[in-house]
Every structure is written in structure tokens, then in C-alpha cells.
Amino acid sequence: MQVSDFGIRLLERARAAVAGVDTLFERRDRRALSAHAGTVRVAAPSIIGRPFVTDALAPCAAEHPGLVIDLRLSEVIADVVQQQIDVGVRIGALRDSRFVARPVAKVHFHVVGSPALLDRVGTPRDLEALFARPTTAFVDRNNGRTWAWLFKGGRQVTPANPAFVTDDPEAECAAAVAGYGFAQLPGFLAAPHLRAGRLVSLFDSLAPDPWPLYVYRAQRSPVPARVRLVYDTLLEAMAAIDSR
């Protein structure tokens, strides 16, 4: 048997066509051809995301070329389905059945004031005296209302006449350090300033029960390897947060 002229021409054209298909999947960086290549969308509050999540996931991005971290930071609770969130971090109650969630740490809260503020207005002896002095207030972006301060036994007090109001937790922390007024801050924001002496903690005996810090992912099966990698990395990183 002998290949015809038509068969030879067909073979040459077929080789060119197959080679063209192969180039569609060819990548210059062969290391990117891994199970971890692709986008993982992560949601977190800005107070967690900026200082902790970005640092925690940097080694993943360096070790797995082709892995893209799409980080969405907001104090507004993310709609996991609508925003196509793969992995998230949240402080406080998490009861949504669409999540696979794990509590990894506890967030403690501190009433704090700067040394300059204490020198100016004095140290309050009780909560009534505290709220008669300048305070800060944090606005919940989910509903537009001011967060109440939390105390032992479920007691809640909303500052009536705050000297500083913001919807950004890092701005509230900065205002407390600057001496605008007393503030109630989560431990991971307050701790560095408490250790450095820029803030003083008050009413520790009246501190509320700590809130859980969760890492969650959407309840999908099977989970892509890149999502599992990011989820496991954040579980370890968030468990190491110092929130006291």
C-alpha cells in the first residue's frame, strides 16, 4: 500500500491543525500548569484583610504561579452567592447553612483611651462617668446605625454624644490614639498600641465575652485545589492572630 498525494496533503494539514490546538493550552511558564492555577475570590472585613489576609496569602501566590487572589474588603457582610465568594473571614455569629465554617480564634474587646486624653479629662471611675466624657462611635455599614459598646452580662451602651464618628475601624483606632475620645476596639487593633503605651485599657473586669473569628468557604463539592489551599492557609493564619 502507498499513501496517495491526497493523503500526504491531508497529513500535513492535520499536523498543522493539531499543533494549533496544542498552542491554545501552551504556557510560557510551565510551573503555572498546576492544580492551583486560577482565581480564588476572598471576602474579609478591612480590619482583618489589610494587615492579616494579604500577608498570609502572599507566600501562596509566590509558590503557585497562576494562582490569582481576588480580595474583597468591606465591613458590609458579603453575599457569598451573588459575589461568587470562594473563601471568607468573618467576626461574630455565622449561621448561614451555605457555608462550611470553622471558628479559629476569639476576638476580645477593650475600652481604651490615650494617655493624653486621660491627662485632659481624667480617668472615669464607672461607665456613667465614661460616657459623660468624649467617646468615638463606629457606624455599621450594614444598617447605618451606630454600634453599641458591649459589656459583661450582655449590657450594651450606645454613645449618645460622640466626639468622633466613622464607618472605618482603623480610623476609629487612629482617633483613639490621637486622643479624640475613649473607644471600644477589637484586640487585634488595640494590642500593638497597648503594648507601646499609646493606649491604656480601662474596665477590663467589665469586658464582654469574646466573639468568634470564622474562616468559611462556600458549601460546594468538590472543592478546587486552589480553594482548599487558600482556605487551609487562612485557617492557620487567622488562628495565630493576637486578639487580646
Side-chain angles (χ1 to χ4, degrees), residues 33-230:
L33 293 173
S34 72
H36 300 99
T39 299
V40 179
R41 184 167 290 184
V42 181
S46 60
I47 52 174
I48 293 289
R50 289 194 185 102
F52 300 112
V53 173
T54 50
D55 288 348
L57 296 181
C60 288
E63 185 176 350
H64 301 282
L67 173 64
V68 178
I69 303 298
D70 183 343
L71 179 59
R72 305 302 174 97
L73 300 180
S74 177
E75 266 53 58
V76 178
I77 297 175
D79 186 320
V80 173
V81 175
Q82 182 177 356
Q83 298 179 23
Q84 298 180 318
I85 300 301
D86 294 303
V87 180
V89 180
R90 185 181 296 181
I91 301 170
L94 187 64
R95 301 184 178 93
D96 198 318
S97 61
R98 295 174 298 176
F99 302 150
V100 175
R102 185 182 302 178
V104 294
K106 293 183 178 180
V107 177
H108 298 259
F109 293 89
H110 300 273
V111 174
V112 297
S114 69
L117 176 66
L118 294 172
D119 289 342
R120 188 172 82 244
V121 304
T123 302
R125 300 300 179 187
D126 52 36
L127 295 185
E128 183 178 358
L130 169 66
F131 288 101
R133 289 167 166 77
T135 61
T136 67
F138 178 67
V139 176
D140 185 351
R141 294 179 187 173
N142 291 286
N143 54 35
R145 295 195 294 267
T146 300
W147 274 96
W149 292 26
L150 308 176
F151 296 97
K152 186 177 181 179
R155 183 176 181 181
Q156 301 184 17
V157 181
T158 301
N161 298 295
F164 183 89
V165 181
T166 183
D167 63 354
D168 183 85
E170 291 175 298
E172 184 181 26
C173 180
V177 173
Y180 277 86
F182 295 99
Q184 187 173 59
L185 302 176
F188 52 82
L189 279 182
H193 302 290
L194 292 171
R195 288 193 292 266
R198 293 185 292 268
L199 290 175
V200 177
S201 183
L202 307 169
F203 302 108
D204 291 344
S205 62
L206 298 179
D209 293 335
W211 284 15
L213 174 64
Y214 287 95
V215 176
Y216 65 88
R217 62 173 173 82
Q219 198 172 67
R220 292 194 294 264
S221 182
V223 178
R226 62 183 181 274
V227 174
R228 171 62 68 179
L229 172 68
V230 171

